[in-house]
Amino acid sequence: MKSHKLLTGAGIGALMFGMSTAAFADNWRYAHEEYEGDVQDVFAQEFKRYVEENSDHSVQVYRFGELGESDDIMEQTQNGILQFVNQSPGFTGSLIPEAQIFFIPYLMPTDMEQVLEFFDESKAINEMFPELYAEQGLELLQMYPEGEMVVTADEPITSPEDFENKKIRTMTNPLLAETYNAFGATPTPLPWGEVYGGLQTGIIDGQENPIFWIESGGLYEVSPHLTFTSHGWFTTAMMANQDFFEGLSDEDKELVREASEAAYDHTIDHIQGLAEESLAKIQEASDEVTVTRLDDEQIQVFKERAPQVEEEFIEMTGERGKELLEQFKADLDAVTEDAE
Ligand code: 6CS
């Protein structure tokens, strides 16, 4: 009786599922980690536009805070409550340790064109990472950079000595904490929601983020000394719940892939010149802000501390991490050699 009931239920489910993919318009839920007009929102809105203009489906976009913190929206996606999520490796690093590769300092070049070419062509990004995400039930659709990381603090930072006794907020992955340990600071991992208040009350003395976010989140108001350290890029990733994705018709799978391509292209256009515009807005809004750009000699002192973070990455991720790192470096070499 029970199995008969189950079969009937499954049959009805299959029927409904078939109908929903073939005949009905679906409403897909998509959450990201940022606010209106920020880079992840630009991506999500373009994805939504493409899906809605090219199908009968609709996409409901949830921004930061509407469904919780970054870890909450990832959990909701893995549980199938959300169909799509944009979560940055800064947070995914605790779920997929290899994603922490983006936090090995001075691995990526500073030149934006080279960085963009790397994301387009890298085997590590486009072939190896999808497999790692799939192990967590996630269909990785795009990885993309948002901007170069800039440190903000209560004083300008030019050397590891300046970082001494400074509590620097990091996203919640262990390798990024290692980077700030290596830089001479006291790393303080926190979710995003606690950063502005933490800086305001002095619980933390500084943090790192791309300039557009320092401007849009008003971080410069409470952490006015900006240092360009050239040590890395804020990278993010957009993905789908894999069971949901695999259950789509071929036509809808293609639609989702094309929409994520369109969103990627649109977002890459959006980030060109964004850092310069955001810095100009910050300088317009505040007389207190200082901008320090480390020179080659100062950068060298921080760079010398990168190998210990790389070793820690291999320690945390083993053979697979080592293979990923080798491919990542080969892909980067290909891009930087092209430029020579
Ligand atoms: O620092 C953070 O936690 C946030 N930074 C950016 C640029 N996007 C979302 C993330 O939560």
Side-chain angles (χ1 to χ4, degrees), residues 32-35 38-40 64 69-70 88 91 146 149 169-172 190-193 195 207-210 212-214 219 234 236:
H32 65 73
E33 304 169 314
E34 298 182 349
Y35 303 103
D38 287 331
V39 176
Q40 290 182 23
F64 177 81
E69 280 281 358
S70 185
S88 308
F91 297 105
E146 295 195 33
M149 284 292 200
R169 177 267 175 170
T170 62
M171 287 179 282
T172 53
L190 286 175
W192 167 248
V195 180
Q207 59 88 44
E208 60 160 30
N209 252 307
F212 87 84
W213 187 252
I214 294 167
L219 292 175
F234 187 100
T236 197

Side-chain angles (χ1 to χ4, degrees), residues 169-218:
R169 177 267 175 170
T170 62
M171 287 179 282
T172 53
N173 78 82
L175 197 76
L176 185 54
E178 277 308 315
T179 291
Y180 276 89
N181 264 328
F183 283 177
T186 306
T188 310
L190 286 175
W192 167 248
E194 292 173 40
V195 180
Y196 190 97
L199 290 165
Q200 197 169 33
T201 54
I203 289 170
I204 44 175
D205 304 308
Q207 59 88 44
E208 60 160 30
N209 252 307
I211 283 283
F212 87 84
W213 187 252
I214 294 167
E215 192 273 321
S216 84

Side-chain angles (χ1 to χ4, degrees), residues 56 94 115 196 205 242-243 301 317 321 323 325:
D56 290 333
S94 41
V115 171
Y196 190 97
D205 304 308
Q242 204 175 33
D243 287 342
V301 178
T317 56
E323 259 174 54
L325 181 59

Side-chain angles (χ1 to χ4, degrees), residues 212-245:
F212 87 84
W213 187 252
I214 294 167
E215 192 273 321
S216 84
L219 292 175
Y220 63 92
E221 298 161 357
V222 286
S223 191
H225 300 285
L226 277 50
T227 304
F228 286 74
T229 47
S230 301
H231 73 278
W233 285 73
F234 187 100
T235 296
T236 197
M238 182 269 192
M239 66 212 85
N241 171 295
Q242 204 175 33
D243 287 342
F244 153 78
F245 185 80

Side-chain angles (χ1 to χ4, degrees), residues 46-118:
E46 180 62 12
F47 180 85
K48 173 182 165 73
R49 183 200 65 73
Y50 191 97
V51 167
E52 293 181 355
E53 280 182 13
N54 291 283
S55 73
D56 290 333
H57 303 311
S58 56
V59 178
Q60 187 162 358
V61 176
Y62 298 92
R63 299 187 175 110
F64 177 81
E66 290 177 35
L67 298 175
E69 280 281 358
S70 185
D71 285 348
D72 300 314
I73 57 177
M74 174 54 90
E75 204 178 304
Q76 289 155 17
T77 307
Q78 286 186 299
N79 291 340
I81 297 166
L82 295 173
Q83 284 71 49
F84 298 98
V85 69
N86 194 134
Q87 193 193 49
S88 308
F91 297 105
T92 319
S94 41
L95 186 69
I96 304 173
E98 292 84 353
Q100 299 177 108
I101 198 166
F102 296 102
F103 303 100
I104 298 174
Y106 298 102
L107 193 56
M108 304 274 281
T110 45
D111 181 77
M112 191 185 240
E113 265 181 43
Q114 289 179 6
V115 171
L116 296 181
E117 198 184 325
F118 169 72

Side-chain angles (χ1 to χ4, degrees), residues 112-145:
M112 191 185 240
E113 265 181 43
Q114 289 179 6
V115 171
L116 296 181
E117 198 184 325
F118 169 72
F119 275 89
D120 272 347
E121 290 173 13
S122 163
K123 187 173 166 202
I125 298 283
N126 299 301
E127 292 176 31
M128 293 173 92
F129 266 119
E131 288 173 17
L132 296 168
Y133 278 70
E135 286 172 15
Q136 300 299 329
L138 299 163
E139 179 77 24
L140 180 63
L141 292 164
Q142 295 290 342
M143 277 189 151
Y144 59 98

Side-chain angles (χ1 to χ4, degrees), residues 287-298:
D287 293 334
E288 225 196 315
V289 165
T290 67
V291 177
T292 304
R293 291 178 193 274
L294 299 189
D295 62 27
D296 289 347
E297 239 171 82
Q298 291 166 328

